[in-house]
Amino acid sequence: MNMAAAASAKPAGARAAGRPEKLRLGDVLVQQRLISQEQLQQTLELQQQTGRKVGRLLIESGVITEELLADALARQLRVPFINLKTYPFRGDVVKLLPESAARRFRALVLEDKGDSLLVAMADPLDLFAYDEITRLLKRNIAIAAVPESQLALACDRLYRRSEEISGLARALEKDLGDAVDFGELTASAGAEGAPVVRLLQSLFEDATQVGASDIHIEPMESGLQIRVRVDGVLQTQTQAEKRIGAALAQRIKLMAGLDISEKRLPQDGRFSVRLKERTIDVRLSTMPSTYGESVVMRLLSLDGGVRQLDKVGMPPAMLHRYQQLLGRTSGLILVTGPTGSGKSTTLYASLAELNTSELKIITVEDPVEYRLSGITQVQVNDKIELSFSKVLRSALRQDPDVILVGEMRDPETAEIGLRAAITGHLVLSTLHTRDAASTPFRLLDMGVPAYMVATSLQAVIAQRLVRINCEVCSEPHEPDAHETAWLSGLLQAGERINALRGRGCSTCNGTGYTGRQGVYEMLEMDAELTQSASRSDPAAFLRAARERLAGQTLTYHALELVRQGRTSLAEAMRVGYDLED
């Protein structure tokens, strides 16, 4: 089955490739009884006042939808109406039309039919666009009607500003010449027209457009590699000449106020950028490598707000019990997991739950990731010896009810935090541990007295992130032999699981996944666990902890999401194997 048939069958009597006839959109819609003559007249009067297009005015006023408008044009012109959300794009065919032209004329090449090219147009009545596209492609074209918003989203996914970024990278190579003059580059880097500035702006815009969490700029022997992390997976954005890496690293360090002369030692910093009415906070890390400085930037949107606790993905029973624990006036609650597992999201959602005028909340963070109104947030700064432990001591003199410690990364901070939990403060913090059961012994390994761990620790939440199946292209998935063997140790005898998995489409950029969700397990301390921890008896503690967590572990939560069709078996297995001994 060819691509056009996969998306929409062409109506009977469809005409061959050719220039569309000249029609008035309003007359077409009235003729098909989608709008009344009175509605058309009102819209035409509004058009004379605003100068805007009739179709856009009708859509914004709610008289007609984009889909109905495109379908009406398709029927009038006897051309296909295509749903781009499920269309199986081919990158090589799409790229026949340059990105700049695709965006200008609101068009995408869908299929090479041999004697002609099938081109989707948001406005198939635009004769000028038709003629220009024909001239650029140097081929006969057949048109298809598509909703404008679908086409704009498809352009963003398919082109990813790659043409713009590659062009700016080539311009920067010419600008630098064979030898990099860093003094001259530093003097000119502040100009808005500098290629390095425009390249960075395009990188940030592309990353935020696809929801990337990180940008990686990596010098290699063969060139410079730029990648973005989307839903936890790295995707290559572009390859460029290695020599532009130094200019990019230097400009980024200038933006973060770092020492541009120091290339031998790692440096950390932060800065904010404003992109299309959005503010992005950037956490920067540089590290010397064999072929130059490797730069990684974590992107944090300051406009999206903090996620609500009931939206992070906790199972309902666990969420209810966790909310009860947050209502306590003292004790330590730890959220654990590896880097990038969503710990900060859970903690900030917890703070948002606690944030009332009756409570004094102080956070000690490195860095402060999200600004929360009504909460005192303190940024750790090792350069001036403003450490976690020093800030925490001062915070205790500020009469807080709740304290968030970004991370218990050293014995001194851990001990102060536990003492605060014992003496009438609710303390929230994070640790890098594999699961909930092993967390108390990580504190003991740090040198914290066993009695403090036993008397202060209230609960441990361990979490991971799994990718969510794309709703557009998810389809039934039959477990393979490897998946069946893994499931056999988890399912009851005779139980079958109906798994789904995304096949990959334009909506999910071919990955089969859109977005991520947390999977959780929570170990609440009781008398037996407290006693085992106070005796420093790992075997007894782990045995009792595993009994409490039976059927409620991270692996079982991930498997439950598979049952619900939310994620794939491959994602659940990734969590399961990560936790195996």
Side-chain angles (χ1 to χ4, degrees):
M1 183 170 64
N2 63 34
M3 292 185 179
S8 175
K10 183 177 289 190
R15 63 195 185 86
R19 197 170 189 264
E21 54 192 282
K22 190 171 183 179
L23 298 170
R24 292 177 60 185
L25 176 61
D27 294 338
V28 170
L29 297 177
V30 170
Q31 181 183 338
Q32 296 190 23
R33 298 183 179 179
L34 293 172
I35 64 173
S36 66
Q37 188 67 47
E38 183 183 357
Q39 287 173 322
L40 174 60
Q41 192 58 42
Q42 291 173 349
T43 305
L44 289 174
E45 291 173 1
L46 186 59
Q47 182 194 34
Q48 290 180 346
Q49 298 171 15
T50 63
R52 303 178 67 193
K53 291 189 175 182
V54 169
R56 180 49 50 189
L57 291 172
L58 287 169
I59 291 168
E60 290 180 356
S61 63
V63 174
I64 194 172
T65 65
E66 282 190 338
E67 288 75 14
L68 278 175
L69 177 61
D71 186 55
L73 287 173
R75 280 188 275 117
Q76 184 68 30
L77 297 172
R78 298 180 185 176
V79 300
F81 167 76
I82 291 180
N83 183 356
L84 295 182
K85 290 181 179 179
T86 56
Y87 194 83
F89 292 100
R90 281 183 50 193
D92 57 332
V93 174
V94 169
K95 300 295 172 62
L96 292 174
L97 187 66
E99 179 181 0
S100 55
R103 293 185 184 278
R104 179 184 175 191
F105 300 124
R106 296 176 297 158
L108 281 174
V109 182
L110 300 182
E111 183 183 354
D112 188 342
K113 308 177 81 165
D115 60 337
S116 64
L117 295 171
L118 180 64
V119 177
M121 295 183 67
D123 184 2
L125 298 179
D126 189 338
L127 301 181
F128 174 76
Y130 177 92
D131 291 340
E132 286 298 299
I133 293 169
T134 303
R135 182 182 62 80
L136 287 169
L137 294 174
K138 297 182 175 63
R139 297 275 297 276
N140 291 326
I141 67 171
I143 60 174
V146 295
E148 185 172 359
S149 61
Q150 287 187 17
L151 190 138
L153 288 172
C155 276
D156 288 343
R157 287 192 301 267
L158 294 165
Y159 286 105
R160 292 283 306 277
R161 299 182 179 272
S162 53
E163 178 184 303
E164 177 184 345
I165 290 172
S166 298
L168 289 169
R170 288 192 296 272
L172 181 55
E173 291 163 21
K174 289 183 182 179
D175 198 56
L176 292 176
D178 292 330
V180 177
D181 183 349
F182 292 112
E184 183 178 335
L185 178 65
T186 303
S188 62
E192 289 185 0
V196 66
V197 176
R198 296 203 306 273
L199 175 55
L200 283 173
Q201 181 178 351
S202 293
L203 284 175
F204 284 126
E205 287 178 350
D206 172 70
T208 55
Q209 181 177 286
V210 297
S213 60
D214 303 84
I215 300 174
H216 292 241
I217 301 174
E218 305 159 314
M220 304 290 176
E221 182 179 11
S222 58
L224 184 73
Q225 179 174 250
I226 300 177
R227 300 189 289 176
V228 295
R229 189 179 295 279
V230 181
D231 291 338
V233 178
L234 282 170
Q235 302 175 359
T236 299
Q237 167 51 260
T238 191
Q239 302 277 353
E241 285 286 337
K242 183 170 62 178
R243 61 188 177 186
I244 75 171
L248 283 173
Q250 184 164 357
R251 177 59 186 164
I252 293 167
K253 287 162 74 174
L254 279 170
M255 293 166 71
L258 301 182
D259 184 355
I260 61 174
S261 65
E262 181 56 78
K263 303 177 184 66
R264 302 164 299 171
L265 297 172
Q267 295 189 66
D268 296 317
R270 66 185 303 165
F271 58 92
S272 296
V273 293
R274 187 78 176 163
L275 298 168
K276 294 182 178 179
E277 305 306 318
R278 291 183 63 191
T279 301
I280 306 297
D281 198 31
V282 183
R283 289 165 49 184
L284 168 68
S285 173
T286 70
M287 185 175 66
S289 69
T290 306
Y291 301 105
E293 283 186 286
S294 174
V295 177
V296 176
M297 293 177 283
R298 169 68 56 89
L299 309 180
L300 301 166
S301 175
L302 300 182
D303 299 330
V306 174
R307 190 173 295 186
Q308 294 179 335
L309 192 56
D310 59 358
K311 297 294 191 296
V312 299
M314 278 190 192
M318 182 187 297
L319 173 63
H320 177 68
R321 184 56 190 149
Y322 180 56
Q323 289 172 323
Q324 290 179 328
L325 290 172
L326 289 176
R328 294 185 176 180
T329 57
S330 65
L332 172 66
I333 298 175
L334 288 173
V335 180
T336 71
T339 300
S341 59
K343 299 187 299 296
S344 295
T345 298
T346 300
L347 282 177
Y348 275 107
S350 303
L351 288 183
E353 185 97 353
L354 291 167
N355 190 12
T356 64
S357 59
E358 290 82 19
L359 293 178
K360 168 79 169 183
I361 302 175
I362 297 178
T363 73
V364 187
E365 306 171 69
D366 184 22
V368 175
E369 295 191 8
Y370 295 98
R371 275 70 171 181
L372 298 175
S373 177
I375 292 178
T376 302
Q377 296 176 270
V378 183
Q379 167 78 50
V380 169
N381 189 341
D382 291 328
K383 293 179 181 178
I384 58 173
E385 299 182 356
L386 190 64
S387 62
F388 271 106
S389 56
K390 192 170 185 177
V391 175
L392 195 49
R393 283 196 187 91
S394 298
L396 290 173
R397 294 193 286 270
Q398 293 276 314
D399 188 29
D401 298 292
V402 180
I403 301 172
L404 168 68
V405 183
E407 182 184 350
M408 289 191 170
R409 59 175 61 169
D410 60 74
E412 187 178 10
T413 301
E415 187 165 339
I416 296 171
L418 267 67
R419 287 190 187 280
I422 292 172
T423 57
H425 305 86
L426 180 64
V427 180
L428 309 177
S429 191
T430 69
L431 267 182
H432 288 268
T433 60
R434 190 176 65 170
D435 55 21
S438 62
T439 299
F441 297 98
R442 175 71 184 100
L443 291 171
L444 295 177
D445 287 342
M446 294 172 69
V448 177
Y451 79 90
M452 292 183 66
V453 176
T455 55
S456 65
L457 186 59
Q458 299 294 314
V460 180
I461 292 177
Q463 69 178 89
R464 297 289 191 280
L465 291 176
V466 295
R467 291 183 290 172
I468 298 302
N469 287 330
C470 175
E471 293 183 359
V472 175
C473 65
S474 288
E475 58 188 17
H477 169 70
E478 190 66 30
D480 59 27
H482 189 47
E483 292 167 339
T484 301
W486 181 74
L487 286 171
S488 65
L490 298 171
L491 301 180
Q492 297 179 359
E495 183 184 357
R496 284 184 56 81
I497 193 164
N498 298 317
L500 297 178
R501 183 166 187 170
R503 68 177 181 274
C505 66
S506 62
T507 299
C508 59
N509 202 28
T511 64
Y513 302 98
T514 51
R516 291 187 291 176
Q517 177 181 322
V519 292
Y520 296 86
E521 67 182 24
M522 184 170 76
L523 179 64
E524 190 175 349
M525 298 293 285
D526 57 23
E528 183 182 355
L529 292 173
T530 299
Q531 192 174 34
S532 300
S534 63
R535 293 199 308 263
S536 299
D537 186 350
F541 183 90
L542 290 174
R543 183 171 57 252
R546 284 168 180 160
E547 289 176 1
R548 309 294 191 281
L549 290 169
Q552 302 176 57
T553 62
L554 288 162
T555 301
Y556 277 95
H557 187 194
L559 188 60
E560 182 58 31
L561 292 181
V562 175
R563 286 191 178 96
Q564 298 169 11
R566 296 275 294 156
T567 193
S568 67
L569 270 173
E571 283 292 286
M573 287 176 65
R574 182 175 58 81
V575 172
Y577 282 133
D578 184 40
L579 297 168
E580 287 186 356
D581 293 329

